Amino acid sequence: MTPYISAEEETSRAEERRLSSLLPRIFDLFDLYRRVGTDAQAVQAMRTERLARMLRHALSEVPFYRRFADLATTVDDDPHLALRALPTRTKRELAAGLRSHCADKLSKETDFAVRTSGTTGIPFRFVIDAEHLAHTIAQGLAHQEPAVRGGAFHLRKLELYDRRHDGWFEYTSAAKGLARVASLSLRGLASDREHRAAGFVWRFAPDMIFCHPSQACELIGHCTEHGLPLPAPSVVYTSGEQLDARDRARIESAFGAPVRDTYGMREVGAIAHECPSGRYHVMDERLCVEILDPGGDEPVPDGTAGEIVVTHLINRAMPFLRYRTGDLGMITAADRLPCDCGRASSTLTLTEGRKNWAITFPGGESVSVLTASRAVRGFPVERFQILQQAADIEVLVKWLPEATGADTAALRSSLTELFGDTGARVRCTTAADQDFVRSPSGKQSEFLAGVSR
Ligand SMILES: [Zn+2]
């Protein structure tokens, strides 16, 4: 087979070369994470020690945190207590004060700036270091390892994420556990009339597939529609979007393989991986996760949902301390709920998935995304999407067959009433599947800010 290659491949190769230099470090850390992952005491001790080290670093080397230098003695006694004395940080605050949240000394060799667009409409740059990359990759490999007999190394991995090129390419990745990696852009799949891309997927015979849930469904839809065979991986890893029960069932039955989902953010990497028992285990060795009152900095009582707030224990270039994710969840400690899979970390339950809190208008008024979504779901709609561009709101609706003209009129007046006080111009448009918009990073979302069609 001769894979077809696009010009942008060089970018990925440069990135891969950078990651390859980390291989010895990744291998050591992979071994470490595999050993400590099932030992509750070792996980706790590692987390406390890493937190103390990170806080000492931030209080002395990071301009924003230097004003809290008095906490140094508390760090020695109880680093978790010291952490709770620091203010939480939002993406907006970090975007506005990037330099003051970075360490005084950054290295051209080991520290990299990363840019995200995301679904919140706030463009965001942040800085990570080589250790952050090595730990994130190593812990991910340790998590994947039990899924396939014989270890996570030397596997064939298919990735559907890449949107920088329009076809298919393969390479051997040191950073991904010396795996043979194939990257397929679904943009290429859609424009590929001869279905060569789908043929490559079949012949590549991946052991693992990595994708957003919507991408897996897109591949399944394309192959089903054109009578093309699907590969039979051992496992499908999803991330980046809220995975609903319907998509999970569709993916599992189409590939004949279990789906394991990951909850995470680019800023801090994977936050929780789903295990074979269906629990989302928090990466306690690498992160401290708190659940706080969405309106303030206070922790909510155990077993109550609140905002997920993360502290990253590795990235010294730009410490993310008490970083607000905007997502809702609930934490259960490992000792209160032991898991069949043997992992000794706490369990995260995502309650509302990845949604923004509010649609905010230029005048400062806002409407909760949940309220707006509920208003639309009250009608016979198959799917919908709310797009915001400054004061313009467009609601795309794909109606179910039973919907009538009266439903359309009623939804219009309900939306007009909901956004009435904000001064927003609201349009409601009947849409087909191809009209729905993806975020710049390729995700599907019910709400996108800074986007119009
Ligand atoms: Zn488990």
Side-chain angles (χ1 to χ4, degrees):
M1 129 173 93
T2 316
Y4 54 100
I5 289 171
S6 69
E8 287 91 339
E9 188 198 4
E10 272 311 306
T11 320
S12 302
R13 282 204 175 137
E15 203 172 282
E16 182 60 30
R17 267 198 296 275
R18 189 171 69 193
L19 289 171
S20 299
S21 67
L22 294 173
L23 181 63
R25 181 70 180 138
I26 291 170
F27 193 85
D28 283 350
L29 290 169
F30 166 74
D31 209 37
L32 172 75
Y33 283 124
R34 207 167 37 162
R35 278 186 287 113
V36 299
T38 53
D39 181 340
Q41 274 183 331
V43 170
Q44 291 290 340
M46 178 182 274
R47 186 165 67 142
T48 303
E49 194 253 312
R50 285 178 170 180
L51 176 62
R53 212 173 341 141
M54 177 55 74
L55 291 175
R56 281 187 206 108
H57 165 72
L59 297 183
S60 68
E61 308 293 329
V62 179
F64 176 82
Y65 290 106
R66 230 173 256 135
R67 75 196 69 172
F68 303 101
D70 288 354
L71 285 172
T73 36
T74 317
V75 173
D76 295 338
D77 296 340
D78 181 353
H80 295 280
L81 191 66
L83 178 67
R84 286 196 293 275
L86 293 175
T88 58
R89 302 275 78 196
T90 62
K91 181 185 278 194
R92 205 174 278 281
E93 285 163 343
L94 294 188
L98 176 68
R99 198 59 193 90
S100 69
H101 288 86
C102 288
D104 293 325
K105 293 192 196 89
L106 292 177
S107 149
K108 273 197 179 123
E109 280 72 47
T110 57
D111 303 327
F112 321 102
V114 180
R115 187 185 293 275
T116 67
S117 41
T119 49
T120 56
I122 309 169
F124 185 41
R125 263 175 87 220
F126 57 94
V127 182
I128 56 172
D129 59 20
E131 273 291 283
H132 165 104
L133 283 177
H135 279 263
T136 309
I137 293 167
Q139 207 177 17
L141 287 170
H143 167 75
Q144 289 161 23
E145 204 234 3
V148 178
R149 240 180 308 144
F153 291 79
H154 310 291
L155 294 172
R156 300 172 77 76
K157 301 182 176 183
L158 172 66
E159 295 183 345
L160 301 179
Y161 301 118
D162 207 322
R163 292 189 163 257
R164 289 170 300 185
H165 62 106
D166 59 2
W168 169 274
F169 71 87
E170 291 179 31
Y171 58 101
T172 297
S173 168
K176 285 162 190 155
L178 293 174
R180 185 71 180 160
V181 179
S183 172
L184 169 68
S185 161
L186 293 171
R187 203 149 52 88
L189 191 66
S191 64
D192 179 14
R193 294 230 180 90
E194 292 157 26
H195 310 300
R196 287 194 302 168
F200 286 138
V201 171
W202 166 249
R203 286 192 294 270
F204 181 69
D207 298 296
M208 297 171 165
I209 298 179
F210 297 81
C211 53
H212 300 319
S214 62
Q215 294 172 322
C217 291
E218 215 175 305
L219 179 63
I220 293 165
H222 178 88
C223 291
T224 311
E225 192 185 326
H226 297 96
L228 300 166
L230 281 162
S234 303
V235 57
V236 178
Y237 288 105
T238 56
S239 63
E241 295 171 352
Q242 191 173 5
L243 175 67
D244 65 33
R246 200 181 56 169
D247 283 351
R248 181 193 288 273
R250 186 174 179 211
I251 298 166
E252 290 192 335
S253 102
F255 291 111
V259 168
R260 303 260 182 275
D261 192 39
T262 292
Y263 164 67
M265 306 178 88
R266 286 198 65 193
E267 296 91 312
V268 297
I271 295 172
H273 284 302
E274 189 188 15
C275 77
S277 308
R279 294 238 193 109
Y280 286 79
H281 288 282
V282 176
M283 305 289 98
D284 283 333
E285 301 93 331
R286 202 165 48 75
L287 300 165
C288 283
V289 176
E290 299 173 88
I291 304 293
L292 303 184
D293 179 342
D297 286 2
E298 290 306 309
V300 297
D302 261 6
T304 314
E307 184 175 358
I308 301 167
V309 175
V310 292
T311 292
H312 195 272
L313 305 179
I314 307 295
N315 183 14
R316 292 163 73 90
M318 181 176 177
F320 282 85
L321 306 179
R322 309 195 86 202
Y323 183 55
R324 305 192 82 109
T325 64
D327 296 330
L328 285 175
M330 210 158 63
I331 285 272
T332 313
D335 50 0
R336 289 196 21 232
L337 200 66
C339 187
D340 292 343
C341 77
R343 284 186 183 81
S345 55
S346 46
T347 303
L348 180 69
T349 311
L350 289 164
T351 42
E352 294 288 352
R354 316 214 57 181
K355 290 199 175 63
N356 302 297
W357 296 104
I359 305 170
T360 309
F361 292 96
E365 308 85 346
S366 67
V367 170
S368 145
V369 173
L370 290 177
T371 308
S373 300
R374 277 194 205 111
V376 185
R377 279 204 205 94
F379 293 87
V381 300
E382 185 183 322
R383 62 186 286 205
F384 69 94
Q385 188 174 45
I386 302 167
L387 303 176
Q388 179 195 14
Q389 179 71 265
D392 287 299
I393 292 284
E394 182 175 21
V395 181
L396 301 179
V397 179
K398 185 182 178 192
W399 293 96
L400 286 168
E402 65 264 33
T404 63
D407 288 315
T408 317
L411 174 59
R412 281 217 171 89
S413 73
S414 154
L415 288 170
T416 306
E417 194 187 328
L418 181 66
F419 289 97
D421 295 337
T422 65
R425 290 177 293 272
V426 183
R427 275 188 303 152
C428 184
T429 313
T430 298
D433 282 326
Q434 66 270 21
D435 299 321
F436 287 81
V437 179
R438 286 175 183 276
S439 75
S441 56
K443 291 180 195 171
Q444 278 188 354
S445 178
E446 282 172 2
F447 169 62
L448 291 176
V451 173
S452 60
R453 291 193 302 144

